[in-house]
Amino acid sequence: MEVVDKKWIEEHFETLPLWQQSAYTDFAATVEDEVNTFPCIPARAGFLSNHLRYSFIGDPREEQSIKTLAQCLKEYGKCSQTFGKYTTHAIFFKTPDDMLENFDVEDYRNLFWLVLNNLTKFDDYDWPEEIPTDPSHHEWEFCFNGQPYFISCATPAHKSRKSRHFSTLLMAFQPRWIFEEINDSTVFGRKLKKLIRQRISEYDAIPAHPDLKWYGQEDSYEWKQYFLSDDHGSPSKCPFLRMQNSLFSSHNEEH
């Protein structure tokens, strides 16, 4: 059980640990809610049409959890194009009480980048040639196992920005190819963007974050959009450091 769909979860629901039952129930309730509609239209469409895939991972501070995450992403990446045009890989992390009680938004931000930095240690592929390696380039985005992803993070500490609040630490990995029709160069993309922004303003207690832009725009930085503050602030420098694989690291230490 690494990467599963809605049907599998619903069939095996009673056998799942309580935290996994709770995380999935919260997710389904959030995305399905017809009264207070979740702003991300593709995510909602993906959920209802069973295009989404899910993985449950342990405490994000433990190395074993990062290894499991790497395995799940590899499995998802191999088959993602068969799951449907609104697919996303939703990762639910077990979030223990000490985190729930003590972590603020900045603690979760630091943890988010720590997870991504450590994840790259288990990357089997070179960085794709067409994607810049410098996060300050407007065409940079996170890549793993040769696949570029847009990542959206939600945490228990977000309060004002409800669209980025969730009961556990949640990371949603969206493959770049799903945005081929959803971008600023298509009429559909522009209409969708307008509708999503409108829904965000109704859903959140504060206006949409100024960092939210389309991929490829000259003044757009993907890394700033992955983890949004609970206000309008944003970090000046990207915390992403692509780790070399462990063989390379140990080789360097020996010399």
Side-chain angles (χ1 to χ4, degrees):
M1 190 207 83
E2 302 252 302
V3 180
V4 296
D5 68 358
K6 180 165 72 139
K7 192 165 170 281
W8 188 95
I9 292 175
E10 288 166 358
E11 284 172 2
H12 296 82
F13 190 78
E14 297 300 325
T15 68
L16 297 177
L18 283 177
W19 80 266
Q20 295 182 10
Q21 291 185 17
S22 176
Y24 178 76
T25 303
D26 289 348
F27 183 83
T30 300
V31 181
E32 273 182 318
D33 191 340
E34 293 192 358
V35 179
N36 194 14
T37 314
F38 189 67
C40 183
I41 296 161
R44 188 173 158 80
F47 176 80
L48 296 171
S49 53
N50 198 24
H51 293 183
L52 303 189
R53 293 298 181 269
Y54 309 89
S55 293
F56 297 96
I57 312 281
D59 186 329
R61 298 168 293 183
E62 294 173 4
E63 186 176 29
Q64 185 52 51
S65 300
I66 309 304
K67 283 183 182 172
T68 307
L69 173 60
Q71 200 49 49
C72 291
L73 274 172
K74 287 172 186 178
E75 189 182 319
Y76 173 80
K78 271 187 268 181
C79 307
S80 67
Q81 302 228 9
T82 67
F83 296 147
K85 66 177 183 177
Y86 293 121
T87 190
T88 288
H89 192 184
I91 310 289
F92 301 111
F93 287 95
K94 187 174 186 180
T95 309
D97 287 345
D98 67 306
M99 284 173 64
L100 293 173
E101 289 161 16
N102 301 314
F103 270 42
D104 61 19
V105 171
E106 286 310 306
D107 293 323
Y108 280 110
R109 187 199 300 278
N110 293 336
L111 180 59
F112 169 78
W113 287 107
L114 192 63
V115 167
L116 289 193
N117 287 340
N118 284 317
L119 181 59
T120 63
K121 286 193 253 182
F122 305 103
D123 193 336
D124 299 332
Y125 287 70
D126 290 333
W127 196 261
E129 282 183 16
E130 68 278 12
I131 306 291
T133 54
D134 180 1
S136 65
H137 193 288
H138 62 276
E139 289 180 349
W140 178 90
E141 61 190 325
F142 180 77
C143 299
F144 184 75
N145 245 44
Q147 301 278 339
Y149 290 99
F150 180 85
I151 307 165
S152 178
C153 185
T155 83
H158 280 78
K159 298 289 183 267
S160 301
R161 204 172 294 288
K162 196 181 155 205
S163 55
R164 293 293 179 118
H165 172 84
F166 193 65
S167 54
T168 66
L169 179 63
L170 167 65
M171 292 187 196
F173 287 76
Q174 297 176 283
R176 169 53 46 198
W177 60 263
I178 71 169
F179 295 100
E180 283 167 8
E181 292 175 24
I182 312 171
N183 60 62
D184 215 27
S185 68
T186 68
V187 174
F188 174 69
R190 289 193 291 273
K191 281 183 179 171
L192 193 63
K193 176 184 176 182
K194 194 175 174 185
L195 191 53
I196 291 172
R197 293 292 157 83
Q198 189 183 321
R199 287 191 175 184
I200 287 175
S201 67
E202 291 165 4
Y203 197 81
D204 289 351
I206 53 176
H209 200 290
D211 285 339
L212 281 179
K213 294 184 170 71
W214 282 118
Y215 173 69
Q217 285 181 252
E218 292 286 342
D219 60 344
S220 173
Y221 301 101
E222 290 283 281
W223 67 269
K224 287 191 174 190
Q225 300 179 59
Y226 292 171
F227 192 107
L228 296 178
S229 304
D230 211 26
D231 52 25
H232 279 356
S234 67
S236 56
K237 190 170 183 292
C238 180
F240 180 66
L241 299 166
R242 185 162 188 256
M243 307 286 190
Q244 298 296 340
N245 64 54
S246 46
L247 284 172
F248 186 88
S249 303
S250 58
H251 177 78
N252 273 359
E253 283 159 14
E254 287 166 12
H255 294 74

